[in-house]
Amino acid sequence: MTDRIEAAAAELRPLLQEFILWAPKHAPDSDPELLGSAALWHRLSVRDDVHVWRKGDLRTVLLDRLPKVIEDPDAAADGMVPTLRAYLTFLSTTGRLHRGSDPLATLLAELDALEDDFVAAMEDLIAERDWDDDELDEEDEPGGLGDFEPFAEALAGLPAVRLRPDAELAAAAREVPLIARARDLALWAGADRRRVRRDPPSGGAELAGALAAAGLPRPADGAEVPAEHERELWNLWEHAFDLEFLVADRRGRVTLAEDTADWPFDDDEDVLELWVQGLRSVDYGDPELDDDDLTEALEGLTRGVLVRLLVAGGARRADELRAELAEAAADLDDLGEDAWAAAAERYGDPLAPALDWLAGYGMVERAADGGAEVVRLTPLGVEGVLHLADEAGIEVDARPAFDVMSAAELLEICVDLPDEEADAEFAGWLATRAPERAAKELLDAAAADESNEMVRVQAASMVGSLGEAAVPAWRSVLDEPSLRPYATNCLARLGVPDAPTPGPADVQWMILDMWAISAGLGRSEFVNTLRDVGTVRDLLGLLDSIWKVPHPHLPELLETIADAHPDKRVTKAARRALFKARSAAVTR
């Protein structure tokens, strides 16, 4: 997406620059700074040609796209429509409104028709921003049961949390019952293209139809809907909006999103994006009691379950979890103990609504273990609670599971780890594959980026530890310039018959790799690495020949030597070598 945005922005830039020059004389009240986002999303979401504008494009840009991306709704409410009016006039009067566009009069009339709706959408954003500001003012207040902050230190100290691949997570998300039920309820609401109120149906045949669509029992004729069913319907209705299966306009009327019937989607990324979008639904698992104050005392209970499961390594006995949360509720709120008792009276188990919702969203499993009930995070649950921790600004070390971790991921992770931890990570990864396969994967990953010496040295060290099992892999990279030096060195050390002998160029390549790594550690460390070569005479001799090695970082390394080394003879030799290297590169 980033590449598409950059390409579209580059395409629009000359046109917008011409509008900026045109506007002061012809439309002095327009705001060219506002135009960029409208023109960009017109190009990205509606038309491949920035010079073609149709009546329907304006609705898509103003009411569908801009409310999701606008940064200054105050300025947009005042100036976006007048600025678009000026821009369309500019395109038309300068011959830049191409064939296929609607007439300018039609476009301006549509802008007039949409202006009130756009301003209302901006006012909604302003109201949401003000609400968020009010919430920020309350940040210093003590957190509730769902506050992750008290667990920040414990979460930071956890062993690396292991993640399953997206394909597996998406397959699980497609089976989540609560998403399917929210979809069915949304399809019911939009079945005959009628628009219903933002609140869920509350009586009569409409209520009966909604209950059936949501998978809840219809009440008998004249019978009241049980409170728990009414609450569940309300939560599923809100869940449908969280998932954007249903969309409400500013008048509170509801329409069905175009792709609702397509769930479960085919694309894994789309599936996981929707599932994460619906994570806010975890709060619907909190107990709902007759007394609002008691309900408020247990707010965050469902999130509290999740964070405690993660801190415990992913599983807890239900009775231990129940006791800990009951104590926390009493500690955090004067009404916590009463609220817990009221929830126990209503649900039997105060955790029942939280665990039911989490299980329905695919995040936890409940099972018997030695006579006790155990609650366990699923792979989706781990993914979800990590996302919630990230939203709370808390870092948790999360890495791919060893059996699905690629060699490239392993190398990227280990480069930043202390030696002992990197060794443990490599050992865990190696335990899931044969050493021959491991060696091949590591060297293939290192060969993919010739310019990354850190990964290359890390891979060579790992493969070198595999001994004779790595011989086929070493042989396979003898024609790779960046890995041949390490291959010849290791094959010679293993005494492999017919293996090529390491030559001066091989040794020099490995020296350049070491120099490149040390250059990133600071000037003094780099100079010390140069001194490891030997005396100044030894270094001068090396510079006299190392310029011939086609290492990707050779020029900048020679420049760094010339700048950093205190001996003027070395400075001069490095500059001479740099000149020769550049001349050789031109003739290659």
Side-chain angles (χ1 to χ4, degrees):
M1 186 63 174
T2 302
D3 292 341
R4 286 187 60 223
I5 291 174
E6 290 178 353
E11 183 180 347
L12 280 164
R13 193 170 295 116
L15 194 60
L16 298 182
Q17 288 173 342
E18 292 182 31
F19 173 72
I20 290 171
L21 297 175
W22 177 90
K25 180 178 180 181
H26 300 91
D29 295 333
S30 64
D31 186 349
E33 291 187 3
L34 287 173
L35 178 61
S37 58
L40 178 63
W41 285 107
H42 169 259
R43 170 64 182 82
L44 288 172
S45 301
V46 186
R47 300 286 170 193
D48 292 333
D49 188 343
V50 298
H51 300 89
V52 174
W53 283 79
R54 304 279 296 178
K55 175 182 174 180
D57 301 354
L58 294 168
R59 175 174 291 275
T60 300
V61 171
L62 286 172
L63 302 186
D64 293 344
R65 297 307 310 174
L66 288 183
K68 298 178 181 178
V69 300
I70 208 77
E71 294 183 357
D72 187 350
D74 295 278
D78 294 335
M80 181 62 76
V81 171
T83 298
L84 265 178
R85 189 179 290 117
Y87 179 61
L88 293 172
T89 303
F90 157 74
L91 293 177
S92 179
T93 58
T94 59
R96 293 179 172 87
L97 195 62
H98 286 180
R99 179 180 295 180
S101 299
D102 283 334
L104 177 63
T106 301
L107 295 172
L108 296 183
E110 180 66 5
L111 272 177
D112 291 340
L114 295 173
E115 185 167 14
D116 286 348
D117 286 345
F118 177 74
V119 170
M122 294 301 100
E123 289 173 348
D124 288 344
L125 289 178
I126 294 168
E128 289 177 9
R129 179 196 61 194
D130 293 342
W131 178 266
D132 290 341
D133 289 344
D134 290 341
E135 288 186 334
L136 287 174
D137 292 338
E138 299 172 0
E139 279 188 355
D140 292 336
E141 296 181 5
L145 287 170
D147 188 6
F148 278 41
E149 186 60 37
F151 299 92
E153 187 174 346
L155 290 170
L158 285 176
V161 177
R162 297 296 168 179
L163 305 176
R164 301 308 302 169
D166 284 355
E168 289 184 21
L169 296 175
R174 290 185 180 96
E175 302 298 324
V176 167
L178 285 174
I179 296 181
R181 293 174 66 191
R183 174 206 58 199
D184 293 343
L185 182 58
L187 291 174
W188 168 83
D192 58 2
R193 298 290 179 185
R194 293 175 303 140
R195 299 214 287 183
V196 299
R197 298 184 309 279
R198 174 63 178 81
D199 291 340
S202 58
E206 193 177 48
L207 174 58
L211 289 167
L216 294 166
R218 291 173 180 259
D221 291 342
E224 290 189 5
V225 177
E228 62 269 20
H229 292 170
E230 194 171 348
R231 175 178 182 269
E232 191 170 353
L233 177 64
W234 179 280
N235 287 339
L236 285 168
W237 183 260
E238 293 301 317
H239 192 35
F241 284 94
D242 293 340
L243 297 166
E244 296 185 4
F245 287 159
L246 292 174
V247 182
D249 65 18
R250 68 185 182 89
R251 296 179 180 89
R253 294 179 300 180
V254 174
T255 56
L256 183 70
E258 290 182 1
D259 62 353
T260 298
D262 295 333
W263 176 264
F265 306 139
D266 292 329
D267 184 77
D268 289 347
E269 185 176 344
D270 291 342
V271 168
L272 292 176
E273 182 179 347
L274 181 134
W275 187 86
V276 169
Q277 185 174 306
L279 264 180
R280 70 192 74 178
S281 74
V282 297
D283 297 321
Y284 303 157
D286 293 349
E288 186 173 308
L289 306 171
D290 294 333
D291 185 300
D292 290 343
D293 291 335
L294 296 181
T295 297
E296 186 176 347
L298 296 184
E299 280 185 0
L301 178 66
T302 315
R303 292 174 185 254
V305 169
L306 290 172
V307 69
R308 284 166 174 82
L309 288 175
L310 185 63
V311 167
R316 289 283 301 272
R317 282 176 48 140
D319 56 353
E320 294 175 353
L321 197 58
R322 192 176 297 113
E324 183 176 327
L325 283 161
E327 183 179 351
D331 289 343
L332 290 167
D333 195 298
D334 291 341
L335 294 175
E337 189 172 348
D338 291 341
W340 194 264
E345 182 177 350
R346 164 161 286 191
Y347 299 103
D349 176 6
L351 293 187
L355 296 179
D356 287 346
W357 191 271
L358 291 174
Y361 208 59
M363 298 184 73
V364 303
E365 296 173 337
R366 303 164 73 176
D369 185 0
E373 183 185 16
V374 172
V375 182
R376 180 173 286 104
L377 288 173
T378 65
L380 263 182
V382 171
E383 189 77 18
V385 71
L386 288 174
H387 183 84
L388 295 174
D390 184 65
E391 282 188 341
I394 295 173
E395 292 188 9
V396 182
D397 185 5
R399 306 172 193 170
F402 288 126
D403 62 317
V404 294
M405 184 189 290
S406 70
E409 288 170 330
L410 173 71
L411 291 168
E412 183 180 355
I413 289 168
C414 288
V415 158
D416 297 323
L417 295 178
D419 289 346
E420 186 175 340
E421 193 173 345
D423 290 343
E425 193 77 4
F426 175 48
W429 181 81
L430 186 60
T432 65
R433 56 211 2 103
E436 294 82 2
R437 174 189 162 195
K440 182 71 166 59
E441 290 179 4
L442 287 165
L443 293 180
D444 286 347
D449 186 1
E450 187 181 71
S451 65
N452 195 329
E453 62 284 336
M454 284 289 291
V455 164
R456 182 164 53 249
V457 171
Q458 184 84 50
S461 174
M462 289 177 173
V463 177
S465 71
L466 300 178
E468 294 187 1
V471 168
W474 283 127
R475 285 190 181 277
S476 71
V477 296
L478 284 171
D479 292 330
E480 288 285 347
S482 63
L483 290 171
R484 175 187 167 86
Y486 299 95
T488 56
N489 185 284
C490 282
L491 291 173
R493 193 170 67 248
L494 292 170
V496 175
D498 303 325
T501 303
D506 295 322
V507 175
Q508 290 171 0
W509 182 289
M510 291 190 286
I511 290 173
L512 287 168
D513 274 352
M514 292 299 105
W515 286 357
I517 292 171
S518 66
L521 302 177
R523 184 187 185 100
S524 61
E525 183 66 30
F526 181 65
V527 172
N528 287 335
T529 304
L530 296 177
R531 289 174 176 148
D532 290 342
V533 170
T535 64
V536 168
R537 177 174 295 182
D538 294 330
L539 182 56
L540 292 173
L542 182 59
L543 291 172
D544 193 43
S545 60
I546 206 169
W547 62 267
K548 301 173 186 177
V549 179
H551 192 282
H553 297 307
L554 178 65
E556 56 258 46
L557 286 172
L558 292 174
E559 285 182 352
T560 304
I561 293 171
D563 291 340
H565 203 283
D567 194 299
K568 293 182 179 179
R569 292 171 295 171
V570 174
T571 297
K572 184 176 179 180
R575 288 177 177 155
R576 184 168 58 248
L578 177 59
F579 175 79
K580 292 179 180 179
R582 287 174 172 164
S583 299
V586 171
T587 60
R588 283 191 188 115

